[in-house]
Amino acid sequence: MSHPGSSKMTSVPAVQRVMGASVRIADRAAEIIRGILRAGDLGIVQKTGINDLQTEADRSAQRCIVANLARQFPRLTIIGEEEPDDRPVPDDWIVESGADPRAETLQCPEGLTGITEDQIVVWVDPLDGTKEFTQGLLDHVTVLIGIAAGGEPAAGVINQPYFNYQHPSEPQGRTIFGLRGGGVAGFEPRAPPADSRIVTTTRSHSTGLVQSALQALQPDQVLAVGGAGHKVMLLLEGRAHAYVFASPGCKKWDTCAPEAILTALGGRLTDIHGVQLRYEADVQHMNATGVLATAPGVEHDWYVQRIPADVRDGLKPKSG
Ligand SMILES: Nc1ncnc2c1ncn2[C@@H]1O[C@H](COP(=O)(O)O)[C@@H](O)[C@H]1OP(=O)(O)O
Ligand SMILES: [Mg+2]
Ligand SMILES: [Mg+2]
Ligand SMILES: [Mg+2]
């Protein structure tokens, strides 16, 4: 079906079109996730161990996201967390083509306008926080669609399928998104408190190095919660100053969308050494040197400098 404005759409930059479509696609993936949990059969599979799970919701949400993106944007490179599965998806998993109207409120910055569809790499985490999902900690779950170009995150979409699930009278679920240099939408950014230091970290993947790094930062409070998307949301809404994970385990699909939205507001996300992560199609998927993110207005270097030498040595980049 053609709709008003569809001829105008061709002049909208590719990054913005992919982001706008991803808002709508992430909403459909979130419905699929909620439907599977409601039906009650999660079909849990262990990938590398008991803290690396996959459910039917992870599998189906990825199929939905990849099928829709590939149909609307055949020249994209799409990299998803779960195994590729090219079986056709049910008709009702296919969403209307084009951008969600909410995404048209953002202005694409000049630096991103020249990027063509074939230069974009989309990093898909169909369900971030799987361990917590299986344990009923539903507010830790996000759907992450990160849009990278030239090795850097350009735009991101984070859907929280269970936002407000403990407050049934409030609107359920939400989608937030942002364009680097073009702003964010879907939530109210807030600064963290000025008189304390709150650090968020893993709940289900802790190690000795993770704990050493936290201790060295002498936080007033540690929020050990699930999901990379969820933890960056805590930074964006002023609930924590920094997200510190001194361990391998997080992958590029965990960090791409959150990094795009965080940097759109002036926050930062790097490895534990303060080095920028890369998102070209051929990079190593693992963020092998850890993750360190800070809220807008928080001094990132302060955190980098306080990571102890033994932690830095334990997370050395492979190529020296
Ligand atoms: N050791 C690990 N094995 C598998 N996935 C990991 C590991 N560490 C982190 N992750 C991924 O990074 C996310 C953030 O980590 P954490 O919650 O421990 O802070 C996890 O929800 C998980 O994503 P996913 O749930 O999509 O598999
Ligand atoms: Mg996983
Ligand atoms: Mg993940
Ligand atoms: Mg996942």
Side-chain angles (χ1 to χ4, degrees):
M1 190 183 92
S2 79
H3 53 86
S6 58
S7 58
K8 192 186 84 191
M9 289 306 287
T10 51
S11 64
V12 176
V15 167
Q16 189 160 14
R17 282 188 291 122
V18 174
M19 184 193 74
S22 297
V23 170
R24 195 173 265 167
I25 296 167
D27 283 352
R28 187 71 189 95
E31 284 171 4
I32 291 169
I33 290 169
R34 287 188 291 254
I36 289 169
L37 184 65
R38 239 185 342 259
D41 182 7
L42 287 189
I44 299 172
V45 173
Q46 280 188 25
K47 297 206 284 186
T48 60
I50 54 160
N51 289 323
D52 188 11
L53 305 178
Q54 184 200 67
T55 73
E56 186 52 40
D58 303 61
R59 295 186 285 275
S60 294
Q62 176 161 311
R63 286 176 65 205
C64 166
I65 295 166
V66 173
N68 278 290
L69 283 173
R71 178 172 166 273
Q72 293 189 47
F73 306 102
R75 293 195 299 283
L76 291 179
T77 300
I78 305 169
I79 305 176
E81 174 180 357
E82 313 307 342
E83 284 286 298
D85 180 345
D86 294 333
R87 284 176 299 157
V89 299
D91 287 347
D92 68 343
W93 287 12
I94 298 297
V95 303
E96 188 187 345
S97 292
D100 188 288
R102 286 168 289 171
E104 286 169 357
T105 57
L106 295 187
Q107 191 69 35
C108 193
E110 219 154 272
L112 301 179
T113 54
I115 295 162
T116 53
E117 195 181 308
D118 58 316
Q119 293 171 331
I120 294 175
V121 182
V122 184
W123 293 91
V124 177
D125 189 341
L127 196 163
D128 183 50
T130 301
K131 178 81 179 177
E132 285 73 20
F133 179 61
T134 65
Q135 297 175 322
L137 295 167
L138 301 179
D139 50 336
H140 300 204
V141 170
T142 57
V143 175
L144 304 175
I145 304 179
I147 298 154
E152 294 178 3
V157 176
I158 301 180
N159 184 300
Q160 294 182 293
Y162 297 99
F163 178 68
N164 267 342
Y165 86 106
Q166 285 151 320
H167 308 280
S169 61
E170 302 287 327
Q172 298 296 297
R174 67 174 173 176
T175 314
I176 72 147
F177 50 93
L179 269 172
R180 196 170 190 154
V184 301
F187 74 111
E188 197 67 54
R190 277 202 197 88
D195 57 353
S196 66
R197 185 178 312 122
I198 308 168
V199 179
T200 184
T201 191
T202 184
R203 171 184 166 274
S204 57
H205 299 103
S206 195
T207 65
L209 287 187
V210 166
Q211 293 306 321
S212 302
L214 288 175
Q215 268 166 29
L217 297 171
Q218 299 184 301
D220 297 299
Q221 199 185 345
V222 174
L223 301 176
V225 298
H230 177 221
K231 281 190 272 291
V232 171
M233 287 304 308
L234 296 182
L235 301 183
L236 294 168
E237 298 197 297
R239 306 263 307 278
H241 298 77
Y243 163 19
V244 183
F245 184 54
S247 169
C250 262
K251 323 283 190 315
K252 292 295 178 312
W253 43 75
D254 292 301
T255 48
C256 186
E259 183 179 342
I261 297 171
L262 185 63
T263 51
L265 282 171
R268 290 195 63 196
L269 190 152
T270 66
D271 76 359
I272 212 81
H273 307 283
V275 174
Q276 215 60 59
L277 304 179
R278 302 292 309 179
Y279 295 93
E280 284 91 353
D282 59 354
V283 293
Q284 185 191 34
H285 293 164
M286 183 72 82
N287 291 322
T289 48
V291 174
L292 201 172
T294 45
V298 171
E299 200 188 333
H300 194 77
D301 290 345
W302 186 92
Y303 288 84
V304 173
Q305 283 157 15
R306 271 159 191 78
I307 300 296
D310 65 316
V311 175
R312 279 189 273 119
D313 288 350
L315 292 170
K316 270 207 189 112
K318 280 276 178 311
S319 51

